[in-house]
Amino acid sequence: MMYSGTATLSTSDQLLEAASRYGLFCGTYDNGDRCIKPHPDSSDWELVNHNDSWVLIVRGTPQIQFQYPEAARFIARVCQTLVQPSHHAIL
């Protein structure tokens, strides 16, 4: 087996990297928990990394706990709705 010399990202880092590519805000709270949300000032929803899982918080209320695969699917689905192409072409 060959070693490429690149470090493997943790699943949390992979999710943060993917969310960032979609244009979502990724940050870290003072307690070390990481978060993903539509923009820094958003209070509509956020995903917070806590104890090796992700918790979806909607308007301040925890809703569901995701493992990495479910959190990744959630981010992909949310971003599909955020970047739907316009049906009105500008000519």
Side-chain angles (χ1 to χ4, degrees):
M1 185 165 128
M2 293 181 57
Y3 177 70
S4 66
T6 59
T8 303
L9 293 176
S10 71
T11 54
S12 293
D13 288 335
Q14 290 174 25
L15 188 61
L16 291 164
E17 187 176 273
S20 181
R21 281 194 309 267
Y22 282 120
L24 298 174
F25 171 79
C26 301
T28 304
Y29 287 110
D30 291 338
N31 66 1
D33 288 347
R34 296 163 133 186
C35 71
I36 299 170
K37 47 175 111 177
H39 53 82
D41 300 325
S42 175
S43 61
D44 289 339
W45 68 267
E46 65 180 328
L47 276 179
V48 177
N49 182 232
H50 185 71
N51 295 332
D52 297 326
S53 64
W54 291 86
V55 177
L56 174 63
I57 300 172
V58 178
R59 293 183 186 99
T61 303
Q63 300 292 316
I64 190 168
Q65 185 173 356
F66 292 129
Q67 295 303 312
Y68 169 76
E70 294 90 9
R73 284 193 295 273
F74 174 81
I75 292 295
R77 175 165 270 169
V78 164
C79 290
Q80 285 176 350
T81 62
L82 291 176
V83 293
Q84 286 294 323
S86 174
H87 296 288
H88 301 61
I90 298 174
L91 302 174

